């Protein structure tokens, strides 16, 4: 007989996490409640981990290692620190709706975060059953389509749109993002039979936010692919790259940048700038303003670090 055998380790996928607790789906599909072994460990929805079975840590398993992440979608918290949202993604799905009042600057920030992370991205115009309010979305949505984003109309009430979205989600790991109340959890419920993603009645029920989705959750779609429903947010700012890389988050701007007179053009006031020359044409004033706002923030951040 040998001495104490090394505990058996398994690989798994984090489908939800909260503080030091995580729900892990094991290779055989079973769900295991795990705790984090060490203080230095932190997991987020979508992480691949190694875990051991154990009974001493208050869960059925203990996460001992987080496997290297392919990518990480993060946001800047109200305290100014980067906060992970979800890991190992292939696609970002930005959900917008006529109600609550749409914030397309927010949508631009999500799409930029997708571009910087190398994720595919599409836009879902949700609540398309609200016929009379839809017009407010038409111009910005037509613009997203023109610059190459797939734009899908969907509604928890109209099966057609949900089917198109289902097709778009097959075969990858997608994260639903967007303002609180646009219907992300409702779409999740329409796409994943039998789940009960918490639908946000916060705008009507309370101001405390206790009905909002508080952490991200990953679901496996019967039709293929994985879907992460992310928490309702009032605002989203991604960690910003260096000023010269900000344009990479705006595909129609990036496409023109190579033609600017100066290779380090930031598309602000430089002579011979193809981007500012296209303002109001192939680059809308709204998108250019979104870009310039992010550029300014990226510069501010840089100077704070240098100080
Ligand atoms: N009319 C209409 N209302 C919807 C639709 N989807 C969601 N809602 C409502 O919008 C509110 C917020 O939905 P929820 O799914 O929690 O949004 P989330 O915060 O993005 O997850 C709820 O009151 C839903 O009932 C839709 O397609 N049409
Ligand atoms: Mg929600
Ligand atoms: Zn330029």
């Amino acid at each position: 007989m040998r001495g104490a055998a090394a505990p058996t380790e398994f690989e798994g996928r984090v489908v939800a996490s909260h503080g030091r607790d995580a729900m892990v789906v094991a290779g055989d599909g079973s769900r295991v409640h795990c705790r984090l072994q060490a203080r230095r460990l932190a997991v987020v929805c979508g992480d691949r981990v190694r875990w051991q079975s154990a009974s001493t840590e208050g869960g059925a398993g203990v996460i001992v290692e987080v496997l290297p992440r392919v990518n990480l979608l993060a946001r800047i918290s109200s305290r100014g620190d980067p906060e992970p949202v979800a890991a190992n993604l292939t696609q970002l799905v930005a959900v917008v709706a006529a109600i609550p009042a749409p914030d397309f600057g927010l949508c631009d920030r999500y799409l930029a975060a997708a571009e910087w992370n190398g994720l595919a991205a599409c836009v879902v115009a949700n609540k398309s059953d609200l016929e009379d309010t839809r017009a407010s979305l038409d111009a910005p949505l037509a613009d997203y389509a023109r610059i190459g984003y797939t734009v899908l109309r969907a509604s928890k009430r109209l099966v057609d749109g949900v089917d198109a979205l289902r097709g778009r989600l097959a075969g990858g790991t997608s994260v639903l993002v967007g303002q609180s109340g646009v219907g992300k959890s409702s779409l999740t419920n329409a796409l994943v039979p039998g789940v009960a993603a918490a639908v946000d009645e916060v705008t009507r029920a309370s101001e405390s936010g206790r009905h909002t989705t508080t952490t991200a959750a990953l679901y496996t779609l019967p039709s293929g692919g994985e879907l992460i429903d992310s928490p309702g947010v009032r605002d989203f700012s991604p960690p910003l790259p260096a000023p010269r890389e900000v344009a990479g988050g705006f595909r129609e701007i990036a496409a023109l940048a190579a033609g600017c007179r100066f290779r380090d053009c930031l598309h602000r006031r430089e002579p011979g700038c193809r981007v500012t020359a296209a303002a109001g044409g192939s680059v809308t004033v709204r998108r250019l303003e979104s870009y310039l706002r992010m550029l300014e923030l990226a510069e501010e951040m840089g100077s704070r670090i240098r100080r």
Side-chain angles (χ1 to χ4, degrees), residues 179-186 188 197-200 211-214 229-232:
Q179 271 165 279
S180 187
V182 291
K184 299 179 295 297
S185 297
S186 302
T188 303
V199 169
D200 170 21
H211 294 292
T212 54
T213 319
T214 52
D229 183 20
S230 75

Side-chain angles (χ1 to χ4, degrees), residues 29-51:
S30 61
R31 295 167 75 86
V32 186
H33 171 207
C34 290
R35 315 260 357 237
L36 294 171
Q37 184 186 48
R39 279 258 155 251
R40 61 178 173 78
L41 284 181
V43 295
V44 66
C45 192
D47 265 330
R48 294 174 204 285
V49 296
R50 294 181 67 75
W51 62 278

